[in-house]
Amino acid sequence: MLVSADGRWGGTVTPGFVERFEDAYDRRVQAWVDATRRGEVTGPSAWDGYAVAAVCEAGVRARTERGPVEVQLVERPALCR
């Protein structure tokens, strides 16, 4: 939470990702369990994971090359549609 008072602002950031994202993670896992019980498949796909890895790789290249780089993805296979 950020606070603004007397021309100043401030707040705190929790020290680790566990404290920041614990509740959100628990809610996502519960949503997956609930969908599974209904016989549904929900959530990210293998293609989503691949795309995230490609974006991260581009981010590392951009940092090394000190500038923007294109995210390179192979053509999405029919299995992932």
Side-chain angles (χ1 to χ4, degrees):
M1 178 169 75
L2 291 177
V3 179
S4 179
D6 298 324
R8 296 187 226 165
W9 67 271
T12 60
V13 176
T14 57
F17 71 94
V18 173
E19 296 87 356
R20 286 195 297 273
F21 300 111
E22 181 175 24
D23 184 54
Y25 179 80
D26 287 347
R27 283 185 276 124
R28 291 301 306 148
V29 170
Q30 188 61 58
W32 177 80
V33 169
D34 294 343
T36 301
R37 287 181 175 158
R38 292 189 305 270
E40 299 173 3
V41 177
T42 62
S45 67
W47 180 260
D48 295 326
Y50 163 70
V52 166
V55 168
C56 290
E57 190 272 336
V60 170
R61 281 190 13 250
R63 185 173 166 99
T64 301
E65 297 174 18
R66 298 184 185 273
V69 299
E70 186 175 330
V71 175
Q72 299 173 358
L73 299 174
V74 299
E75 185 176 338
R76 188 173 186 163
L79 179 64
C80 294
R81 291 186 189 150

